[in-house]
Amino acid sequence: VHTHGSEAYTPDGTDIYEPSDNNTRTLDENYNVVRVGDEMERVFTELGLTVVHDRTLYDYPKYNGAYDRSAEAVQRYLEQYPSIKIVLDVHRDALVDSDGTVYKPVLQIDGVKTAQVMLLVGTDDAGATFPDWTEHLALAMEIQQEMNSLWPGLARPITLRTARFNQQLTKGSLLVEVGSHGNTLEEALAGARLFARSAAKVLLARVGA
């Protein structure tokens, strides 16, 4: 799922898109994070996982309330497909300094410029009910360890937040930030592929267990 599906990357070469409400968002699913989700879906499916990819843009035309709208969709999917084990909310980060400098988390992996990936875990620190958030943290730590074991530096540090980000709806949900708006789409796709391979290894092991 993509709560902020219109999030896009820095145009580069042939990756040129028509902006929507600002220069870092687009409704064109060939260039926003929905395309990144497509890449994850392809890898997950090739490795034997069954995927439901919600391509809806919950942040357009109205940004506020996007998490409420995506939560309603997740609840419908969970009712329709009770076998769902994990929900990934795929985003891209925004890293900008107070002076307007844009940063991008990137590294070279096997000669390919690759966007780093950050896992975000919600908590109950703001007072909302979320008693099992540490289970989500444990999953994030497993996937992060797998990423950095296979490709050192691929994973940025896990971020804990006070809000829940709809993760309370399942026993296994994570928010995945693939690169930032400073990255190119190709860098993000490279990071998405490696993240998906790492996450699939963890998830398949859990199913086997």
Side-chain angles (χ1 to χ4, degrees):
V1 68
H2 305 277
T3 296
H4 297 152
S6 70
E7 291 176 333
Y9 297 89
T10 295
D12 179 59
T14 58
D15 296 325
I16 306 297
Y17 58 80
E18 182 69 28
S20 54
D21 53 345
N22 63 44
N23 289 330
T24 60
R25 298 180 184 275
T26 183
L27 305 183
D28 190 335
E29 295 178 358
N30 293 305
Y31 300 105
N32 59 27
V33 293
V34 175
R35 174 68 181 86
V36 173
D38 287 337
E39 195 70 4
M40 290 183 183
E41 178 184 12
R42 182 184 66 80
V43 174
F44 283 143
T45 302
E46 287 179 355
L47 294 176
L49 293 169
T50 301
V51 180
V52 177
H53 184 192
D54 184 352
R55 304 167 61 85
T56 307
L57 302 183
Y58 293 105
D59 60 340
Y60 190 89
K62 186 178 180 182
Y63 186 84
N64 291 338
Y67 278 100
D68 292 334
R69 293 187 288 275
S70 65
E72 292 174 359
V74 169
Q75 288 172 321
R76 289 195 298 271
Y77 284 121
L78 292 173
E79 292 171 2
Q80 186 176 0
Y81 305 104
S83 61
I84 286 176
K85 301 296 184 185
I86 183 172
V87 176
L88 299 177
D89 192 354
V90 180
H91 295 245
R92 64 103 178 99
D93 207 353
L95 300 174
V96 58
D97 208 339
S98 57
D99 63 0
T101 302
V102 174
Y103 298 97
K104 66 176 184 177
V106 66
L107 74 162
Q108 290 267 357
I109 297 180
D110 297 329
V112 177
K113 288 184 177 180
T114 303
Q116 289 180 298
V117 178
M118 182 181 75
L119 301 178
L120 186 151
V121 178
T123 71
D124 56 7
D125 198 47
T129 302
F130 191 8
D132 57 354
W133 67 266
T134 55
E135 294 183 30
H136 299 70
L137 176 59
L139 174 61
M141 292 174 67
E142 278 191 66
I143 295 175
Q144 183 191 48
Q145 183 176 6
E146 191 66 35
M147 279 195 285
N148 281 337
S149 174
L150 295 171
W151 299 284
L154 174 62
R156 294 167 59 196
I158 294 171
T159 294
L160 293 179
R161 299 288 293 273
T162 58
R164 297 182 298 180
F165 297 100
N166 296 337
Q167 294 173 11
Q168 77 281 2
L169 299 177
T170 72
K171 294 291 185 180
S173 292
L174 298 173
L175 194 153
V176 186
E177 300 269 15
V178 182
S180 76
H181 66 311
N183 287 102
T184 66
L185 176 63
E186 290 304 314
E187 292 167 350
L189 293 175
R193 285 190 289 270
L194 299 187
F195 162 78
R197 287 169 62 183
S198 305
K201 189 172 181 180
V202 171
L203 297 175
L204 288 168
R206 283 188 166 214
V207 171

